Amino acid sequence: MRRQARPALLTFLARHALPAALLAGFVLLLYGRLLFTNRVLAGGDIQLYFYAYWDYVGAALRKGTIPFWNPYLFLGAPLLANPQAAVLYPLHWPLFVAGGDAFPVTKQLYWSAALHTWLLGLGVYALMRFWGYATAPALVSGLALAGSGFVGGLIGHINQLNASTWLPWAALCLAWVRSQNSERINWRVNLRAAAAFGLLTALMLLAGHTQSVFISLFALGVWSLWPNARGHHRETPAPRILSASLRRYIRFTFPLLFVYCAGLLLAALLAAPQLLPTLELSRLGLRSGGLTYAEATSFSLQPLALGWTLLPSYGLIDLGAAFDSPGYTEFVAYVGLIGLALAILAAWKAQGPAWAFGLLLTGLGLFLALGRWNPFYFLLYSVVPGFDLFRAPARWMMLYTVGASVLAGIGFALLVQWRLRLSQRVPFAPTTFLIGLMAVELLLAARSLPHAHPTAPQAVYEVRTAPAHLLTDPVRLSSAPAAAPRFLGMSTITYDPGDMVDYRRAFLESDPPQLDARTFHELVIAQKVQELLVPNLPLFWRIPAVDGFDGGVLPLQRYIRFAELLISPEHLVPDGRLREQIETMPDSHLLAMLNVAYVITDKVRDLWFEDVFYDRQIGADLRRVNEALTIEAPLAFEATHVDLIGYVGGDTAGLAGRLHTVAWLDVIDHGGGVQRTALTAGDVPGAHFADAALDSPAAVRSGAVVAYRDVEGGRQEYRARLPLAAPTQVKRLYIEPVAGPIALVIQAATLYDARTRMFTPLLPSDRGRFRLEHSGDVKVYRNLDVLPRAYLAGEMMAVDTFEEALGALRRHAGRVTVVEGTLDGAQPAGAQDRAEIIEYAPERVRIQTQSTQPALLVLSDSFYPGWSATIDGRPALIKPVNGLFRGVIVPGGEHEVVFTFEPTGWREGLLLAMVGAALMVMLLGGTALSFGRKP
């Protein structure tokens, strides 16, 4: 009886199982410290962006819900519509489902990187095998790509890695079409190739990095128009463009363009649930107007540092210093010295379709990665759609890396052929040795990349003191975390955490040391950003924030324009990160409108002078107060002196020759007693204050005590120590300015007890009422004027446009509610009117209102299409309120208002995806590609 042949699939798997396993083993060695220890990567986008999004999306999916909305960043923002969240990317779902305490988000991300690195290497291996190369050369290409510096650097930009993974697989579909006889169109092959190309492109789109999709499709489009090449390893020959007739060229390119265009159409259908919400967000978000040329060419490849880009450094130098950028992984694109030598050999000696593909991608990647250093890039930016939407031209080096990896495999095949000609045989050992040597070199080269230097898990998972304070907010504990009051950060990371001595002892001075100097530095920086909750860490800890960071489609244009109320337009960086841009404490009423109850700051402004602490964070210019400045003393403290830090401004030329009384200080005790003191300025002895000029002559003549000097800013401040008649428990200070051309600025105030040398700092403010609630490595201030998340508006005004709303907000700064549209009979809320949140979920908010007459309900969450509202089950119109938020006119009486969110186009997208899936199944017809060597 004749033996039954093995199924084709089993034959295929058996033939390629060993190379696939070898590639997998290499990847496990490459990322071993991340995969098999508790170490973590810290710093950069992986910590400040991706951990937070992955953690939030995974938690939502494990609960069986699709996260449409992000209530924690940017005052609320679309989540699914943000492509970088990659909610619908199917390869993430098993990782998310497995997530939890035993498989935390860091491990999820690292295993995703390992999986996609393996698939990427396997893709170029499959492509080389299709072109007829033996296992060893194909494996060399796979190793060169998987172990390349560009791919290794992408673990910090996981969505970029995931999207780029499918480039060689999509190229395989086009290679299949290119291999057909150009004299006769094979529609069976073309339709199946289009289906496969569409599926792979859909995976690119869902993976979450639009720029990588653009780069891949641009390269594949150019290759579709590229003529076939002649050579030893060649497909059915096609004529060269310059020598062949236009008719034959069209006959050759038509199937390729058909597969390319049909595949794009199919991909758009399959990814429609993602694309439709994303397109809407793109029209309303950060890049709706495109980027300037300077923005679009930031992070261009640096010609003078090209050696560090193409050659491995093996961790012997600091690449951050070499490229003058902490984001140096954007510029690293080595394939190893062995891989580069093999690629150069192939470029010099080889021919054929694989050689043409590798050379095309290598040249195209290098050419476009130069960005602003390439004079043609401006032409592309001006003419070709898409080039004006993305930063970092250095990311085109992905094409170089794929092309160089293909050429490395071809170069290896040439070496094998030359040895065959010399000895008629190829010993197994030398081939294995060279492949093994190349793998070892790539592992050593990876020492220059961040993933080879993970740090302690405390960098990601330890709760610092300021976040801990916010996590215990009473509203949060009694309601949903997303409904808790928001915070705003305004600080730098130029401080040393107070517990770093303990960390140094535990991690650096232990025997043996747990961390080296580099990874300990990463831990310190990570602890700082955890303390400050920047920029997207609020999402990780589920603490609502005003700020955030995206750099893609977020923040919304309305948010960016509203930020001009906090930061001058000429200094505003539009991608979020307000913390880095806000220089002074905003008005408490403006913050109240944003539902900001907390402000987190560093201590850079604070002053220690003669062993006494002064809080300089806010300060008060008496020209900005209505009648007098009130400074509360929240703690019971018996003082013998009142210390004021300040200076005088205005027409300070009048200080000459006399003593001016610029304000009166009333010290009020708990019994109602008042002690009044004159505050003086001048250039005569005994003056408390002088002008702020550095080394002021008036201060020198008067003997005013200089307590603070800002040499860079060219200014100084003075301490006035004012004695009290007797030790007093101070309740408040009352400072009344004296009318005149000279104005007093009080930057800090402290109660001081000369008997014990103890003190308690106070908080002068001309920007509303604040109270210091926490002081550790950073400070947390409470905004005492905060409004609840949902409230019935008091004084209102109606405007027609968003621009008019901004103008009104500049004038009234949170003291008047501004409505775009008509008020529809709404009246200011009375003292007994109320609004109470009774249910708060990211996509559904339920509010109970009670008012004696029609009123405006304000929910201080972002206004965005897709939100709908009902009043007692009946649809209601949502109006933009205060430029950013949602408002609904509610009738008098008691009512229930429900806000719900579903992305615009979500249901239509699902329908289109089902149509696309049906088309793909029909086109594939159940037949897979053949990857084996061609006869």
Side-chain angles (χ1 to χ4, degrees):
M1 185 182 231
R2 202 157 118 188
R3 186 168 153 192
Q4 187 175 3
R6 284 195 299 177
L9 180 60
L10 292 180
T11 302
F12 168 78
L13 293 176
R15 183 185 305 167
H16 302 291
L18 180 59
L22 290 174
L23 271 175
F26 173 76
V27 172
L28 294 179
L29 288 173
L30 191 66
Y31 298 138
R33 298 193 71 190
L34 294 175
L35 300 175
F36 305 117
T37 73
N38 68 346
R39 297 290 186 91
V40 299
L41 283 180
D45 285 353
I46 194 169
Q47 179 182 18
L48 304 182
Y49 192 97
F50 290 108
Y51 289 155
Y53 271 95
W54 277 54
D55 183 72
Y56 185 79
V57 171
L61 293 178
R62 284 193 295 275
K63 292 178 182 177
T65 61
I66 297 176
F68 292 143
W69 188 256
N70 172 6
Y72 295 102
L73 301 177
F74 295 124
L75 304 165
L79 193 141
L80 178 132
N82 181 359
Q84 297 195 86
V87 175
L88 303 181
Y89 185 55
L91 272 71
H92 286 173
W93 296 342
L95 299 171
F96 290 152
V97 170
D101 293 339
F103 192 54
V105 65
T106 47
K107 282 290 187 285
Q108 296 169 33
L109 196 144
Y110 306 152
W111 278 101
S112 175
L115 171 64
H116 285 84
T117 300
W118 177 69
L119 287 172
L120 186 60
L122 196 62
V124 80
Y125 165 85
L127 190 57
M128 292 292 288
R129 293 290 284 140
F130 179 84
W131 274 318
Y133 288 91
T135 298
L139 183 60
V140 165
S141 289
L143 287 172
L145 184 54
S148 66
F150 192 89
V151 172
L154 289 184
I155 192 171
H157 299 87
I158 188 68
N159 56 348
Q160 191 178 344
L161 172 60
N162 294 352
S164 300
T165 292
W166 307 108
L167 170 59
W169 294 98
L172 179 58
C173 297
L174 295 179
W176 187 28
V177 177
R178 290 176 73 97
S179 68
Q180 304 304 306
N181 190 332
S182 61
E183 299 298 326
R184 182 172 55 87
I185 296 178
N186 189 331
W187 285 107
R188 185 169 177 266
V189 168
N190 293 342
L191 291 175
R192 290 175 178 169
F197 187 84
L199 175 61
L200 294 166
T201 304
L203 288 173
M204 290 186 201
L205 292 168
L206 296 175
H209 197 262
T210 311
Q211 183 179 13
S212 294
V213 180
F214 177 77
I215 289 171
S216 296
L217 292 180
F218 184 86
L220 293 172
V222 171
W223 190 44
S224 297
L225 297 172
W226 205 257
N228 238 340
R230 299 179 181 274
H232 181 71
H233 296 283
R234 65 178 185 271
E235 303 162 5
T236 303
R240 298 180 181 178
I241 296 177
L242 296 178
S243 60
S245 68
L246 180 61
R247 181 177 178 181
R248 294 191 63 192
Y249 174 70
I250 293 174
R251 187 184 301 125
F252 167 72
T253 56
F254 174 78
L256 290 165
L257 294 178
F258 169 79
V259 169
Y260 184 87
C261 295
L264 289 184
L265 177 60
L266 180 60
L269 292 174
L270 292 171
Q274 177 68 67
L275 292 181
L276 293 182
T278 298
L279 288 174
E280 178 177 64
L281 177 57
S282 299
R283 292 192 296 269
L284 301 172
L286 170 65
R287 303 194 186 184
S288 58
L291 300 174
T292 66
Y293 185 67
E295 293 171 332
T297 55
S298 59
F299 285 94
S300 294
L301 195 64
Q302 303 174 24
L304 296 180
L306 195 59
W308 297 120
T309 294
L310 302 181
L311 301 175
S313 68
Y314 306 105
L316 299 178
I317 70 155
D318 180 4
L319 289 179
F323 290 107
D324 192 26
S325 170
Y328 67 87
T329 55
E330 298 275 15
F331 304 109
V332 177
Y334 64 77
V335 290
L337 287 177
I338 295 174
L340 183 60
L342 292 173
I344 292 173
L345 175 64
W348 178 34
K349 288 291 187 181
Q351 292 185 13
W355 168 81
F357 175 82
L359 211 57
L360 173 65
L361 262 64
T362 300
L364 190 63
L366 272 171
F367 179 74
L368 294 176
L370 290 171
R372 66 181 55 171
W373 310 111
N374 177 354
F376 292 97
Y377 201 89
F378 181 75
L379 180 63
L380 294 170
Y381 165 85
S382 303
V383 175
V384 180
F387 276 84
D388 63 336
L389 296 178
F390 305 110
R391 300 185 181 98
R395 291 172 181 169
W396 286 93
M397 288 301 286
M398 181 62 196
L399 302 183
Y400 164 85
T401 306
V402 173
S405 301
V406 169
L407 292 176
I410 299 172
F412 183 88
L414 286 175
L415 288 181
V416 171
Q417 288 175 7
W418 291 345
R419 185 168 184 84
L420 270 171
R421 292 171 185 169
L422 291 174
S423 62
Q424 300 301 312
R425 57 190 293 272
V426 182
F428 178 74
T431 304
T432 306
F433 175 77
L434 186 57
I435 295 176
L437 184 62
M438 181 179 182
V440 170
E441 189 219 348
L442 289 171
L443 291 173
L444 292 175
R447 294 174 59 194
S448 64
L449 300 176
H451 71 73
H453 304 277
T455 190
Q458 287 87 343
V460 174
Y461 294 111
E462 182 175 78
V463 182
R464 302 293 292 176
T465 56
H469 184 81
L470 270 59
L471 287 169
T472 57
D473 179 270
V475 176
R476 177 189 183 91
L477 297 177
S478 63
S479 182
R486 294 189 175 99
F487 83 95
L488 174 69
M490 42 174 295
S491 54
T492 67
I493 58 172
T494 55
Y495 69 92
D496 293 324
D499 53 0
M500 281 303 102
V501 173
D502 297 329
Y503 274 92
R504 181 178 294 276
R505 186 178 300 116
F507 290 107
L508 278 183
E509 298 173 1
S510 59
D511 188 19
Q514 301 299 306
L515 300 174
D516 58 25
R518 172 175 175 173
T519 52
F520 183 76
H521 176 72
E522 294 289 343
L523 174 63
V524 173
I525 298 300
Q527 295 283 31
K528 292 181 182 183
V529 298
Q530 288 282 11
E531 189 78 73
L532 296 171
L533 284 173
V534 296
N536 289 342
L537 292 181
L539 179 60
F540 187 83
W541 295 109
R542 311 296 195 268
I543 299 174
V546 173
D547 204 358
F549 169 71
D550 193 81
V553 290
L554 287 173
L556 297 172
Q557 283 290 341
R558 278 181 176 263
Y559 177 96
I560 296 169
R561 295 298 312 282
F562 186 93
E564 295 175 6
L565 302 179
L566 302 170
I567 305 159
S568 61
E570 59 270 18
H571 295 123
L572 177 63
V573 177
D575 58 4
R577 298 179 295 163
L578 301 181
R579 169 191 69 90
E580 303 172 15
Q581 305 176 63
I582 298 177
E583 297 180 352
T584 59
M585 182 75 79
D587 186 277
S588 66
H589 294 91
L590 180 60
L591 295 178
M593 187 175 64
L594 303 175
N595 185 229
V596 172
Y598 302 100
V599 180
I600 299 179
T601 75
D602 54 32
K603 295 186 173 183
V604 174
R605 292 174 178 266
D606 292 345
L607 171 66
W608 281 90
F609 181 67
E610 295 182 350
D611 295 327
V612 179
F613 174 74
Y614 303 92
D615 190 336
R616 298 181 58 259
Q617 186 62 50
I618 304 177
D621 186 336
L622 297 190
R623 288 170 293 190
R624 295 184 55 182
V625 299
N626 291 329
E627 296 179 355
L629 174 67
T630 301
I631 307 174
E632 299 289 341
L635 301 178
F637 182 82
E638 192 172 73
T640 62
H641 295 77
V642 174
D643 286 1
L644 299 177
I645 302 293
Y647 60 93
V648 291
D651 184 11
T652 57
L655 293 174
R658 53 178 295 198
L659 192 68
H660 296 263
T661 298
V662 292
W664 290 95
L665 168 66
D666 290 340
V667 180
I668 303 171
D669 61 32
H670 284 269
V674 178
Q675 299 181 49
R676 167 161 280 209
T677 303
L679 301 179
T680 61
D683 67 349
V684 298
H688 296 124
F689 303 101
D691 61 279
L694 201 64
D695 299 321
S696 164
V700 173
R701 289 191 291 269
S702 69
V705 178
V706 178
Y708 174 80
R709 286 170 57 87
D710 178 4
V711 176
E712 184 177 336
R715 57 190 298 271
Q716 62 189 26
E717 298 169 4
Y718 310 92
R719 186 200 64 188
R721 174 161 287 176
L722 308 168
L724 300 176
T728 304
Q729 282 207 357
V730 178
K731 183 176 183 179
R732 67 175 59 91
L733 306 179
Y734 190 78
I735 303 178
E736 182 181 358
V738 172
I742 302 172
L744 177 62
V745 177
I746 300 296
Q747 195 62 47
T750 291
L751 301 179
Y752 178 68
D753 186 349
R755 302 166 301 176
T756 62
R757 299 178 63 86
M758 299 294 286
F759 55 85
T760 183
L762 307 181
L763 195 64
S765 169
D766 58 6
R767 276 150 275 181
R769 301 181 304 136
F770 296 91
R771 182 179 67 226
L772 180 65
E773 286 208 344
H774 167 79
S775 181
D777 289 335
V778 298
K779 297 181 294 184
V780 178
Y781 293 96
R782 177 86 184 196
N783 177 12
L784 301 178
D785 296 319
V786 66
L787 291 170
R789 183 71 65 87
Y791 60 93
L792 297 178
E795 185 178 354
M796 297 172 285
M797 66 178 298
V799 297
D800 293 328
T801 66
F802 176 63
E803 293 297 329
E804 292 178 2
L806 281 181
L809 290 169
R810 287 190 183 95
R811 294 190 300 273
H812 302 291
R815 292 168 175 82
V816 176
T817 301
V818 182
V819 182
E820 293 176 46
T822 58
L823 296 178
D824 298 336
Q827 301 298 314
Q832 302 303 316
D833 296 343
R834 63 176 180 84
E836 180 184 0
I837 295 176
I838 55 178
E839 177 190 350
Y840 195 104
E843 291 84 21
R844 176 181 167 86
V845 181
R846 194 155 57 98
I847 303 170
Q848 196 81 33
T849 67
Q850 183 175 354
S851 60
T852 57
Q853 53 190 341
L856 173 66
L857 170 65
V858 179
L859 178 61
S860 298
D861 291 343
S862 294
F863 176 85
Y864 187 78
W867 279 101
S868 60
T870 61
I871 300 176
D872 300 328
R874 295 185 297 274
L877 176 66
I878 298 178
K879 296 174 179 285
V881 174
N882 290 333
L884 283 179
F885 302 128
R886 306 195 289 271
V888 171
I889 305 296
V890 294
E894 189 170 320
H895 302 281
E896 181 178 274
V897 182
V898 179
F899 293 88
T900 56
F901 179 71
E902 182 178 287
T904 305
W906 167 249
R907 299 193 181 194
E908 294 85 350
L910 289 177
L911 180 61
L912 292 174
M914 288 188 285
V915 172
L919 284 174
M920 184 186 68
V921 171
M922 291 172 56
L923 294 176
L924 284 175
T927 301
L929 299 178
S930 173
F931 298 131
R933 192 187 294 197
K934 294 192 300 177

